[in-house]
Amino acid sequence: MWNLLVGRHPRPALEYEKSQEKPVEIGSSSLTTPKSPWMPFKALFEAISKEVAPKDMKLVNVHYDLFRCKKISRDGFIQKLRAIVGDALLRSTIMSLQCKVMLSI
């Protein structure tokens, strides 16, 4: 799951890179290649459930079940997750969990 967000500083909604990357649009279907370590969705859900309203967590789990049943793609699920939870909370939670993993090694 930690492939969900690229471990970079926050960016404007549309940014042109000096490299050969295409424009990055927040909420678009074109995602950059993940650069962060892999982490299970369940660990992320447990962490964000403390910050997200129960009705929103229920919606996250509905979409996750659709993803697991192959009714929506991984990218489709991630788009739904980002729309429900928000990039800021996802980013901070991922970074926090990554720090905990690094400290336990």
Side-chain angles (χ1 to χ4, degrees):
M1 167 52 213
W2 297 132
N3 291 334
L4 173 68
L5 296 176
V6 177
R8 297 182 186 174
H9 298 290
R11 296 179 177 196
L14 180 61
E15 178 179 292
Y16 288 91
E17 296 287 331
K18 290 181 181 178
S19 69
Q20 294 186 11
E21 278 187 301
K22 294 180 181 177
V24 178
E25 295 182 49
I26 303 301
S28 74
S29 61
S30 61
L31 300 173
T32 59
T33 304
K35 308 257 188 300
S36 55
W38 178 86
M39 192 165 295
F41 282 117
K42 290 295 183 179
L44 176 66
F45 297 165
E46 184 178 330
I48 65 172
S49 67
K50 299 167 189 163
E51 304 292 328
V52 175
K55 67 179 183 72
D56 289 337
M57 276 311 299
K58 187 173 183 175
L59 192 55
V60 166
N61 284 307
V62 166
H63 291 295
Y64 181 63
D65 289 341
L66 292 172
F67 162 66
R68 289 182 61 208
C69 294
K70 300 183 189 294
K71 293 185 179 182
I72 61 173
S73 68
R74 183 179 189 281
D75 287 344
F77 168 66
I78 290 172
Q79 286 178 349
K80 296 287 188 184
L81 179 64
R82 291 175 70 187
I84 295 165
V85 176
D87 287 345
L89 177 59
L90 287 172
R91 184 179 301 110
S92 65
T93 304
I94 289 168
M95 290 172 58
S96 173
L97 290 172
Q98 286 176 337
C99 287
K100 288 178 184 177
V101 168
M102 294 304 289
L103 290 174
S104 68
I105 293 178

XYZ file of all heavy atoms in Angstrom:
839
model
N 0.814 -1.179 0.000
C 0.000 0.000 0.000
C 0.851 1.231 0.000
O 0.412 2.279 -0.387
C -0.908 -0.080 1.228
C -1.611 1.190 1.580
S -2.453 1.809 0.174
C -2.343 3.504 0.405
N 2.032 1.128 0.487
C 2.844 2.322 0.568
C 3.287 2.757 -0.805
O 3.898 3.794 -0.946
C 4.025 2.118 1.507
C 3.470 1.864 2.860
C 3.826 0.885 3.693
C 2.429 2.548 3.514
N 3.101 0.938 4.829
C 2.212 1.950 4.728
C 1.631 3.623 3.186
C 1.264 2.384 5.629
C 0.672 4.049 4.097
C 0.518 3.432 5.283
N 2.959 1.961 -1.775
C 3.167 2.403 -3.138
C 2.071 3.378 -3.538
O 2.054 3.852 -4.645
C 3.186 1.210 -4.090
C 4.406 0.373 -3.883
O 5.421 0.854 -3.423
N 4.305 -0.889 -4.203
N 1.192 3.671 -2.602
C 0.083 4.567 -2.848
C 0.541 5.972 -3.191
O 0.063 6.580 -4.117
C -0.790 4.606 -1.600
C -1.912 5.591 -1.580
C -2.957 5.179 -2.584
C -2.512 5.640 -0.202
N 1.453 6.493 -2.439
C 1.914 7.859 -2.657
C 3.399 7.858 -2.901
O 4.130 7.089 -2.326
C 1.626 8.731 -1.435
C 0.177 8.921 -1.097
C 0.066 9.715 0.194
C -0.546 9.664 -2.195
N 3.834 8.752 -3.702
C 5.261 8.910 -3.947
C 5.815 9.747 -2.803
O 5.253 10.769 -2.459
C 5.506 9.597 -5.300
C 6.983 9.824 -5.526
C 4.915 8.768 -6.420
N 6.896 9.307 -2.187
C 7.472 10.001 -1.043
C 8.175 11.286 -1.437
O 9.387 11.366 -1.385
N 7.428 12.267 -1.846
C 7.974 13.554 -2.265
C 7.300 14.659 -1.475
O 6.288 14.461 -0.831
C 7.729 13.794 -3.753
C 8.418 12.776 -4.630
C 8.161 13.120 -6.060
N 8.695 12.078 -6.925
C 8.508 12.053 -8.221
N 7.829 13.000 -8.816
N 9.009 11.085 -8.942
N 7.838 15.849 -1.584
C 7.239 17.000 -0.934
C 5.924 17.325 -1.625
O 5.736 17.031 -2.798
C 8.175 18.200 -1.014
C 9.459 17.955 -0.299
N 9.536 17.877 1.071
C 10.712 17.742 -0.751
C 10.774 17.641 1.421
N 11.514 17.550 0.337
N 4.991 17.958 -0.892
C 3.711 18.318 -1.517
C 3.942 19.168 -2.754
O 4.855 19.975 -2.812
C 3.007 19.132 -0.428
C 3.671 18.745 0.838
C 5.078 18.369 0.481
N 3.100 18.975 -3.755
C 3.216 19.685 -5.021
C 1.921 20.403 -5.328
O 0.876 20.032 -4.840
C 3.466 18.684 -6.158
C 4.747 17.956 -6.031
C 4.851 17.013 -7.185
N 6.127 16.347 -7.134
C 6.643 15.703 -8.132
N 6.001 15.616 -9.268
N 7.808 15.120 -8.024
N 2.000 21.395 -6.186
C 0.757 22.009 -6.661
C -0.053 20.977 -7.449
O 0.467 19.938 -7.836
C 1.230 23.129 -7.584
C 2.701 23.221 -7.453
C 3.183 21.997 -6.735
N -1.316 21.283 -7.684
C -2.182 20.341 -8.381
C -1.657 19.968 -9.756
O -1.866 18.873 -10.224
C -3.589 20.920 -8.504
N -0.969 20.873 -10.420
C -0.413 20.569 -11.735
C 1.004 21.120 -11.760
O 1.232 22.276 -11.491
C -1.252 21.235 -12.831
C -0.816 21.011 -14.261
C -0.864 19.530 -14.619
C -1.726 21.778 -15.203
N 1.962 20.244 -12.048
C 3.353 20.672 -12.039
C 4.085 20.047 -13.212
O 3.942 18.873 -13.480
C 4.011 20.235 -10.736
C 5.472 20.600 -10.653
C 6.065 20.155 -9.335
O 5.704 20.703 -8.301
O 6.887 19.225 -9.380
N 4.885 20.822 -13.884
C 5.689 20.311 -14.976
C 7.096 20.096 -14.457
O 7.700 20.982 -13.881
C 5.708 21.288 -16.154
C 4.406 21.323 -16.874
C 3.417 22.224 -16.512
C 4.146 20.433 -17.898
C 2.213 22.252 -17.160
C 2.934 20.463 -18.552
C 1.974 21.374 -18.178
O 0.782 21.382 -18.820
N 7.597 18.908 -14.618
C 8.949 18.571 -14.191
C 9.937 18.984 -15.271
O 9.625 18.973 -16.457
C 9.064 17.060 -13.966
C 8.196 16.539 -12.854
C 8.699 16.912 -11.481
O 9.924 17.076 -11.318
O 7.868 17.059 -10.575
N 11.141 19.327 -14.866
C 12.180 19.654 -15.830
C 12.680 18.391 -16.510
O 13.237 18.440 -17.592
C 13.336 20.367 -15.142
C 12.963 21.760 -14.690
C 14.117 22.452 -14.032
C 13.679 23.834 -13.577
N 14.737 24.535 -12.880
N 12.459 17.250 -15.862
C 12.853 15.983 -16.474
C 11.853 15.634 -17.570
O 11.086 16.471 -18.004
C 12.888 14.884 -15.408
O 11.568 14.600 -14.982
N 11.844 14.382 -17.978
C 10.951 13.974 -19.056
C 9.623 13.455 -18.528
O 8.856 12.862 -19.277
C 11.638 12.915 -19.918
C 12.830 13.493 -20.650
C 13.416 12.493 -21.613
O 12.842 11.447 -21.895
N 14.588 12.803 -22.123
N 9.335 13.676 -17.251
C 8.051 13.256 -16.714
C 6.937 14.088 -17.339
O 7.126 15.251 -17.665
C 7.990 13.463 -15.198
C 8.629 12.376 -14.408
C 8.368 12.586 -12.932
O 8.736 13.617 -12.397
O 7.785 11.699 -12.324
N 5.775 13.484 -17.429
C 4.600 14.199 -17.900
C 4.049 15.020 -16.745
O 4.400 14.793 -15.601
C 3.540 13.191 -18.371
C 3.969 12.411 -19.597
C 2.894 11.453 -19.993
C 3.336 10.649 -21.212
N 2.358 9.658 -21.576
N 3.140 15.956 -17.013
C 2.540 16.730 -15.929
C 1.863 15.800 -14.923
O 1.271 14.789 -15.304
C 1.494 17.606 -16.625
C 1.820 17.551 -18.062
C 2.608 16.306 -18.304
N 1.926 16.153 -13.666
C 1.296 15.371 -12.615
C 0.041 16.108 -12.191
O 0.108 17.254 -11.765
C 2.255 15.216 -11.412
C 1.571 14.453 -10.300
C 3.527 14.529 -11.839
N -1.099 15.460 -12.345
C -2.352 16.068 -11.947
C -2.895 15.300 -10.765
O -3.050 14.094 -10.816
C -3.369 16.013 -13.082
C -2.977 16.844 -14.289
C -4.037 16.786 -15.362
O -5.213 16.995 -15.026
O -3.691 16.528 -16.507
N -3.176 16.000 -9.675
C -3.743 15.367 -8.508
C -5.138 14.873 -8.872
O -5.943 15.604 -9.417
C -3.822 16.343 -7.315
C -2.441 16.896 -6.995
C -4.454 15.687 -6.107
C -1.400 15.871 -6.639
N -5.403 13.603 -8.542
C -6.705 13.030 -8.838
C -6.837 12.500 -10.251
O -7.876 11.997 -10.622
N -5.790 12.595 -11.044
C -5.882 12.069 -12.404
C -5.599 10.578 -12.387
O -5.136 10.027 -11.411
C -4.885 12.768 -13.329
O -3.573 12.317 -13.068
N -5.848 9.937 -13.483
C -5.611 8.497 -13.554
C -4.150 8.176 -13.854
O -3.744 7.035 -13.749
C -6.513 7.858 -14.615
O -6.210 8.412 -15.875
N -3.369 9.183 -14.221
C -1.966 8.922 -14.519
C -1.140 9.108 -13.253
O -0.951 10.209 -12.777
C -1.466 9.858 -15.628
O -1.576 11.187 -15.204
N -0.712 7.994 -12.691
C 0.080 8.019 -11.469
C 1.534 7.765 -11.827
O 1.833 7.000 -12.725
C -0.407 6.939 -10.496
C -1.865 7.064 -10.041
C -2.260 5.857 -9.222
C -2.064 8.334 -9.256
N 2.438 8.394 -11.081
C 3.847 8.133 -11.317
C 4.211 6.788 -10.714
O 3.478 6.236 -9.900
C 4.720 9.237 -10.689
O 4.451 9.286 -9.290
C 4.458 10.584 -11.333
N 5.345 6.265 -11.098
C 5.797 4.989 -10.580
C 6.049 5.100 -9.087
O 6.718 6.026 -8.646
C 7.103 4.557 -11.282
O 6.862 4.544 -12.670
C 7.557 3.197 -10.813
N 5.492 4.181 -8.280
C 5.682 4.244 -6.835
C 7.157 4.128 -6.467
O 7.899 3.370 -7.066
C 4.905 3.031 -6.317
C 3.982 2.658 -7.410
C 4.646 3.070 -8.679
N 7.566 4.895 -5.468
C 8.941 4.869 -5.015
C 9.052 4.463 -3.542
O 10.133 4.263 -3.038
C 9.571 6.258 -5.179
C 9.431 6.845 -6.550
C 10.708 6.745 -7.327
C 10.682 7.478 -8.649
N 9.706 7.063 -9.605
N 7.942 4.392 -2.848
C 7.977 4.086 -1.428
C 7.882 2.579 -1.194
O 7.384 1.840 -2.041
C 6.835 4.803 -0.713
O 5.606 4.474 -1.302
N 8.360 2.116 -0.026
C 8.298 0.684 0.280
C 6.861 0.175 0.338
O 5.950 0.924 0.671
C 8.953 0.573 1.656
C 9.626 1.863 1.883
C 8.959 2.887 1.018
N 6.693 -1.106 0.083
C 5.383 -1.730 0.111
C 4.930 -1.882 1.552
O 5.724 -2.179 2.445
C 5.469 -3.105 -0.560
C 4.171 -3.837 -0.540
C 3.171 -3.737 -1.441
C 3.744 -4.788 0.441
N 2.136 -4.558 -1.101
C 2.465 -5.212 0.061
C 4.306 -5.300 1.593
C 1.739 -6.137 0.793
C 3.584 -6.211 2.327
C 2.313 -6.623 1.923
N 3.635 -1.693 1.801
C 3.061 -1.903 3.108
C 1.626 -2.364 2.900
O 0.955 -1.881 1.993
C 3.109 -0.615 3.925
C 2.790 -0.849 5.372
S 3.254 0.531 6.429
C 5.021 0.539 6.272
N 1.148 -3.284 3.713
C -0.210 -3.816 3.505
C -1.298 -2.754 3.690
O -1.184 -1.882 4.547
C -0.349 -4.900 4.575
C 0.983 -5.086 5.175
C 1.830 -3.911 4.820
N -2.344 -2.876 2.889
C -3.477 -1.972 3.022
C -4.064 -2.055 4.422
O -4.454 -1.047 5.000
C -4.576 -2.311 2.001
C -4.289 -1.814 0.609
C -4.140 -2.706 -0.432
C -4.202 -0.471 0.338
C -3.898 -2.255 -1.723
C -3.964 0.005 -0.945
C -3.812 -0.897 -1.980
N -4.152 -3.257 4.975
C -4.771 -3.436 6.297
C -4.048 -2.608 7.360
O -4.683 -2.048 8.240
C -4.801 -4.919 6.694
C -5.764 -5.745 5.881
C -7.196 -5.298 6.132
C -8.159 -6.168 5.382
N -9.552 -5.789 5.612
N -2.712 -2.525 7.296
C -1.960 -1.708 8.253
C -2.319 -0.236 8.085
O -2.480 0.501 9.064
C -0.459 -1.918 8.070
N -2.467 0.205 6.857
C -2.856 1.585 6.591
C -4.260 1.851 7.120
O -4.501 2.862 7.781
C -2.795 1.887 5.096
C -3.264 3.279 4.698
C -2.338 4.349 5.254
C -3.366 3.392 3.206
N -5.184 0.934 6.848
C -6.565 1.116 7.293
C -6.649 1.218 8.809
O -7.394 2.040 9.347
C -7.453 -0.019 6.803
C -7.571 -0.120 5.304
C -8.071 -1.268 4.729
C -7.189 0.908 4.472
C -8.188 -1.382 3.353
C -7.302 0.809 3.096
C -7.806 -0.345 2.538
N -5.899 0.383 9.486
C -5.898 0.418 10.949
C -5.417 1.781 11.450
O -5.991 2.357 12.375
C -4.997 -0.688 11.499
C -5.008 -0.775 13.008
C -4.150 -1.912 13.514
O -4.015 -2.929 12.819
O -3.610 -1.744 14.632
N -4.391 2.306 10.830
C -3.835 3.592 11.248
C -4.766 4.762 10.927
O -4.948 5.658 11.755
C -2.470 3.803 10.603
N -5.368 4.761 9.744
C -6.222 5.903 9.379
C -7.588 5.837 10.040
O -8.254 6.861 10.158
C -6.377 6.061 7.845
C -7.118 4.884 7.226
C -5.048 6.329 7.186
C -7.475 5.078 5.762
N -7.994 4.669 10.500
C -9.326 4.533 11.097
C -9.491 5.416 12.336
O -10.603 5.780 12.695
C -9.625 3.080 11.435
O -8.777 2.636 12.478
N -8.377 5.781 12.961
C -8.419 6.649 14.138
C -8.706 8.098 13.755
O -9.096 8.897 14.595
C -7.089 6.561 14.889
C -6.786 5.164 15.370
C -5.355 5.019 15.815
C -5.062 3.545 16.067
N -3.648 3.264 16.117
N -8.490 8.434 12.494
C -8.631 9.814 12.023
C -9.807 10.019 11.066
O -10.158 11.151 10.766
C -7.349 10.244 11.297
C -6.086 10.102 12.114
C -6.035 11.072 13.286
O -6.576 12.186 13.156
O -5.456 10.702 14.322
N -10.377 8.932 10.578
C -11.422 9.013 9.554
C -12.766 8.640 10.178
O -12.843 7.730 11.010
C -11.084 8.050 8.385
C -12.189 8.010 7.357
C -9.774 8.463 7.742
N -13.808 9.330 9.776
C -15.155 9.051 10.280
C -15.540 7.605 9.964
O -15.167 7.075 8.910
C -16.154 10.012 9.640
N -16.267 6.956 10.871
C -16.669 5.554 10.651
C -17.382 5.325 9.319
O -17.148 4.316 8.649
C -17.595 5.253 11.831
C -17.142 6.192 12.909
C -16.697 7.436 12.193
N -18.240 6.270 8.915
C -18.948 6.089 7.635
C -17.969 6.118 6.459
O -18.142 5.407 5.476
C -20.056 7.125 7.448
C -19.582 8.547 7.282
C -20.752 9.492 7.071
C -20.284 10.895 6.830
N -19.666 11.118 5.541
N -16.916 6.931 6.568
C -15.910 6.982 5.509
C -15.063 5.715 5.499
O -14.709 5.214 4.431
C -15.023 8.218 5.660
C -15.768 9.507 5.330
O -16.777 9.437 4.597
O -15.338 10.563 5.808
N -14.743 5.185 6.686
C -13.980 3.928 6.743
C -14.800 2.787 6.156
O -14.252 1.908 5.488
C -13.567 3.589 8.182
C -12.311 4.278 8.640
S -10.893 4.159 7.516
C -10.592 2.410 7.418
N -16.093 2.813 6.377
C -16.965 1.788 5.798
C -16.906 1.868 4.275
O -16.805 0.845 3.594
C -18.403 1.955 6.299
C -19.324 0.853 5.875
C -20.681 0.970 6.531
C -21.544 -0.200 6.125
N -22.828 -0.208 6.816
N -16.925 3.073 3.745
C -16.837 3.281 2.304
C -15.480 2.809 1.765
O -15.414 2.173 0.711
C -17.065 4.754 1.979
C -17.280 5.139 0.526
C -18.424 4.357 -0.099
C -17.553 6.630 0.439
N -14.408 3.097 2.496
C -13.073 2.608 2.113
C -13.090 1.091 2.028
O -12.589 0.493 1.062
C -11.989 3.082 3.123
C -10.683 2.316 2.933
C -11.756 4.579 2.989
N -13.675 0.434 3.029
C -13.716 -1.031 3.039
C -14.581 -1.606 1.922
O -14.256 -2.660 1.371
C -14.171 -1.539 4.408
C -13.069 -1.428 5.440
O -11.958 -1.901 5.230
N -13.364 -0.776 6.552
N -15.651 -0.906 1.560
C -16.485 -1.346 0.430
C -15.656 -1.340 -0.858
O -15.650 -2.316 -1.617
C -17.740 -0.456 0.287
C -18.421 -0.667 -1.058
C -18.708 -0.710 1.432
N -14.935 -0.251 -1.078
C -14.098 -0.149 -2.280
C -12.944 -1.149 -2.242
O -12.573 -1.723 -3.271
C -13.572 1.270 -2.470
C -14.641 2.253 -2.839
N -15.338 2.187 -4.023
C -15.148 3.306 -2.172
C -16.220 3.159 -4.073
N -16.127 3.856 -2.957
N -12.390 -1.383 -1.053
C -11.311 -2.359 -0.915
C -11.820 -3.761 -1.271
O -11.140 -4.523 -1.964
C -10.746 -2.338 0.500
C -9.608 -3.296 0.716
C -8.413 -3.160 0.008
C -9.714 -4.345 1.620
C -7.363 -4.044 0.203
C -8.663 -5.221 1.818
C -7.491 -5.063 1.114
O -6.449 -5.941 1.304
N -13.025 -4.089 -0.820
C -13.616 -5.389 -1.171
C -13.825 -5.507 -2.681
O -13.595 -6.577 -3.259
C -14.940 -5.601 -0.435
C -14.754 -5.840 1.060
O -13.628 -6.197 1.481
O -15.734 -5.646 1.814
N -14.248 -4.422 -3.328
C -14.401 -4.436 -4.787
C -13.056 -4.670 -5.471
O -12.967 -5.415 -6.452
C -15.015 -3.123 -5.281
C -16.467 -2.865 -4.896
C -16.888 -1.450 -5.279
C -17.379 -3.902 -5.540
N -12.016 -4.054 -4.943
C -10.662 -4.258 -5.473
C -10.233 -5.713 -5.289
O -9.716 -6.345 -6.216
C -9.687 -3.298 -4.777
C -8.245 -3.695 -4.917
C -7.616 -3.688 -6.156
C -7.515 -4.080 -3.810
C -6.279 -4.063 -6.283
C -6.186 -4.448 -3.924
C -5.567 -4.445 -5.167
N -10.456 -6.256 -4.113
C -10.047 -7.649 -3.843
C -10.804 -8.643 -4.719
O -10.262 -9.677 -5.077
C -10.266 -7.981 -2.366
C -9.257 -7.241 -1.486
C -9.404 -7.577 -0.030
N -9.189 -8.994 0.165
C -9.731 -9.689 1.144
N -10.534 -9.109 2.017
N -9.488 -10.974 1.265
N -12.043 -8.308 -5.071
C -12.844 -9.171 -5.949
C -12.580 -8.886 -7.422
O -13.260 -9.435 -8.291
C -14.330 -8.974 -5.663
S -14.837 -9.528 -4.044
N -11.620 -7.997 -7.694
C -11.229 -7.629 -9.054
C -12.355 -6.944 -9.837
O -12.431 -7.038 -11.050
C -10.682 -8.832 -9.815
C -9.459 -9.440 -9.150
C -8.899 -10.565 -9.967
C -7.832 -11.335 -9.269
N -6.607 -10.710 -8.961
N -13.221 -6.256 -9.109
C -14.286 -5.504 -9.768
C -13.841 -4.082 -10.093
O -14.453 -3.417 -10.926
C -15.542 -5.505 -8.916
C -16.147 -6.892 -8.819
C -17.441 -6.911 -8.082
C -17.975 -8.328 -8.067
N -19.262 -8.422 -7.394
N -12.793 -3.611 -9.388
C -12.149 -2.354 -9.744
C -10.640 -2.594 -9.715
O -10.154 -3.489 -9.021
C -12.525 -1.167 -8.818
C -12.119 -1.425 -7.368
C -13.997 -0.828 -8.923
C -12.311 -0.219 -6.457
N -9.918 -1.795 -10.473
C -8.459 -1.946 -10.542
C -7.810 -1.380 -9.271
O -8.433 -0.640 -8.507
C -7.909 -1.204 -11.760
O -8.071 0.195 -11.584
N -6.541 -1.698 -9.099
C -5.781 -1.151 -7.975
C -5.743 0.377 -8.075
O -5.961 1.077 -7.090
C -4.362 -1.726 -7.958
C -3.534 -1.252 -6.787
C -2.135 -1.872 -6.818
N -1.409 -1.591 -5.616
C -0.808 -0.438 -5.345
N -0.862 0.532 -6.228
N -0.166 -0.250 -4.208
N -5.466 0.884 -9.267
C -5.441 2.331 -9.466
C -6.809 2.952 -9.166
O -6.896 4.023 -8.575
C -5.005 2.692 -10.881
C -3.517 2.475 -11.108
O -2.767 2.339 -10.117
O -3.105 2.461 -12.283
N -7.867 2.263 -9.583
C -9.218 2.742 -9.293
C -9.492 2.792 -7.800
O -10.076 3.760 -7.287
N -9.053 1.755 -7.088
C -9.222 1.730 -5.641
C -8.438 2.868 -4.987
O -8.944 3.571 -4.109
C -8.786 0.387 -5.050
C -8.686 0.430 -3.558
C -9.812 0.614 -2.777
C -7.456 0.331 -2.935
C -9.718 0.705 -1.393
C -7.349 0.409 -1.561
C -8.482 0.591 -0.788
N -7.217 3.067 -5.417
C -6.377 4.114 -4.833
C -6.986 5.492 -5.078
O -6.983 6.344 -4.194
C -4.936 4.014 -5.355
C -4.290 2.749 -4.768
C -4.131 5.251 -5.000
C -2.942 2.407 -5.342
N -7.551 5.698 -6.252
C -8.217 6.972 -6.524
C -9.381 7.188 -5.556
O -9.575 8.292 -5.027
C -8.718 7.026 -7.958
C -7.621 7.220 -8.967
C -8.145 7.211 -10.396
O -9.289 6.860 -10.658
N -7.288 7.592 -11.326
N -10.160 6.137 -5.327
C -11.290 6.233 -4.389
C -10.779 6.503 -2.979
O -11.321 7.351 -2.270
C -12.114 4.940 -4.395
C -12.783 4.625 -5.695
C -13.948 5.545 -5.943
C -14.707 5.077 -7.170
N -15.787 5.990 -7.520
N -9.732 5.790 -2.570
C -9.151 5.966 -1.239
C -8.669 7.400 -1.043
O -8.953 8.033 -0.020
C -8.001 4.977 -1.041
C -7.258 5.046 0.292
C -8.182 4.693 1.453
C -6.052 4.113 0.271
N -7.968 7.916 -2.023
C -7.460 9.288 -1.943
C -8.605 10.294 -1.878
O -8.532 11.284 -1.154
C -6.560 9.584 -3.139
C -5.261 8.800 -3.099
C -4.444 9.001 -4.337
N -3.913 10.366 -4.385
C -3.278 10.862 -5.428
N -3.093 10.138 -6.522
N -2.808 12.091 -5.393
N -9.669 10.054 -2.628
C -10.818 10.962 -2.623
C -11.534 10.945 -1.272
O -11.975 11.994 -0.786
C -11.787 10.588 -3.738
N -11.636 9.784 -0.655
C -12.352 9.650 0.615
C -11.512 10.181 1.771
O -11.991 10.955 2.598
C -12.732 8.173 0.876
C -13.722 7.682 -0.180
C -13.310 8.000 2.283
C -13.887 6.176 -0.232
N -10.268 9.771 1.836
C -9.413 10.056 2.987
C -8.633 11.361 2.827
O -8.439 12.097 3.793
C -8.452 8.868 3.244
C -7.490 9.165 4.364
C -9.249 7.605 3.537
N -8.179 11.623 1.635
C -7.383 12.828 1.390
C -5.894 12.520 1.387
O -5.414 11.692 2.160
N -5.185 13.193 0.506
C -3.749 12.966 0.347
C -2.951 13.338 1.591
O -1.983 12.661 1.934
C -3.213 13.733 -0.849
C -3.638 13.123 -2.173
O -4.097 11.971 -2.195
O -3.484 13.814 -3.183
N -3.338 14.416 2.259
C -2.560 14.871 3.416
C -2.552 13.815 4.519
O -1.490 13.487 5.068
C -3.116 16.187 3.941
N -3.713 13.257 4.843
C -3.778 12.228 5.887
C -3.061 10.962 5.438
O -2.321 10.353 6.219
C -5.222 11.914 6.261
C -5.402 10.802 7.301
C -4.689 11.162 8.609
C -6.868 10.529 7.547
N -3.253 10.562 4.196
C -2.566 9.374 3.705
C -1.056 9.552 3.766
O -0.328 8.685 4.244
C -3.003 9.046 2.276
C -4.408 8.480 2.138
C -4.803 8.389 0.677
C -4.514 7.129 2.810
N -0.578 10.686 3.308
C 0.863 10.951 3.305
C 1.436 10.925 4.717
O 2.443 10.276 4.983
C 1.152 12.292 2.627
C 2.623 12.609 2.485
C 2.875 13.941 1.783
N 2.303 13.974 0.438
C 1.255 14.697 0.079
N 0.649 15.483 0.945
N 0.813 14.664 -1.159
N 0.789 11.625 5.640
C 1.308 11.684 7.003
C 1.243 10.315 7.682
O 2.160 9.949 8.427
C 0.565 12.733 7.829
O -0.789 12.379 8.008
N 0.206 9.554 7.420
C 0.076 8.228 8.015
C 1.140 7.289 7.464
O 1.774 6.542 8.218
C -1.334 7.649 7.746
O -2.308 8.562 8.242
C -1.507 6.300 8.415
N 1.346 7.329 6.169
C 2.367 6.484 5.540
C 3.744 6.819 6.100
O 4.504 5.918 6.475
C 2.332 6.649 4.011
C 1.078 6.001 3.449
C 3.585 6.060 3.368
C 0.785 6.353 2.008
N 4.046 8.091 6.189
C 5.350 8.490 6.707
C 5.521 8.053 8.161
O 6.587 7.574 8.556
C 5.539 9.996 6.554
C 5.713 10.401 5.094
S 5.717 12.168 4.779
C 7.056 12.720 5.779
N 4.478 8.179 8.948
C 4.529 7.773 10.353
C 4.759 6.268 10.477
O 5.595 5.818 11.274
C 3.227 8.163 11.037
O 3.172 7.654 12.346
N 4.032 5.503 9.681
C 4.191 4.045 9.721
C 5.554 3.616 9.221
O 6.166 2.697 9.762
C 3.086 3.356 8.913
C 1.685 3.436 9.542
C 0.647 2.895 8.568
C 1.632 2.674 10.846
N 6.065 4.302 8.209
C 7.412 3.975 7.708
C 8.467 4.255 8.774
O 9.392 3.475 8.944
C 7.729 4.777 6.446
C 7.003 4.290 5.236
C 7.244 5.155 4.014
O 7.594 6.321 4.112
N 7.071 4.573 2.847
N 8.285 5.342 9.531
C 9.231 5.653 10.608
C 9.189 4.576 11.681
O 10.229 4.152 12.196
C 8.915 7.012 11.224
S 9.345 8.399 10.161
N 7.989 4.098 12.015
C 7.859 3.040 13.021
C 8.542 1.760 12.552
O 9.191 1.075 13.336
C 6.392 2.766 13.332
C 5.740 3.871 14.118
C 4.275 3.586 14.352
C 3.607 4.751 15.056
N 2.169 4.542 15.248
N 8.403 1.445 11.270
C 9.039 0.247 10.715
C 10.560 0.390 10.776
O 11.276 -0.539 11.171
C 8.571 -0.011 9.264
C 9.423 -1.062 8.588
C 7.101 -0.422 9.246
N 11.056 1.563 10.417
C 12.496 1.801 10.433
C 13.061 1.719 11.850
O 14.161 1.216 12.060
C 12.837 3.162 9.815
C 12.519 3.245 8.329
S 13.328 1.975 7.348
C 15.001 2.571 7.428
N 12.320 2.196 12.841
C 12.781 2.149 14.233
C 12.793 0.722 14.788
O 13.574 0.414 15.666
C 11.900 3.039 15.114
C 12.047 4.537 14.894
C 11.019 5.308 15.729
C 13.452 5.004 15.218
N 11.915 -0.124 14.260
C 11.836 -1.497 14.758
C 12.870 -2.419 14.123
O 13.042 -3.554 14.548
C 10.441 -2.064 14.531
O 10.191 -2.230 13.161
N 13.565 -1.930 13.114
C 14.574 -2.764 12.438
C 15.857 -2.761 13.198
O 16.312 -1.944 13.845
C 14.801 -2.274 10.989
C 13.542 -2.518 10.191
C 15.991 -2.966 10.355
C 13.608 -2.029 8.746
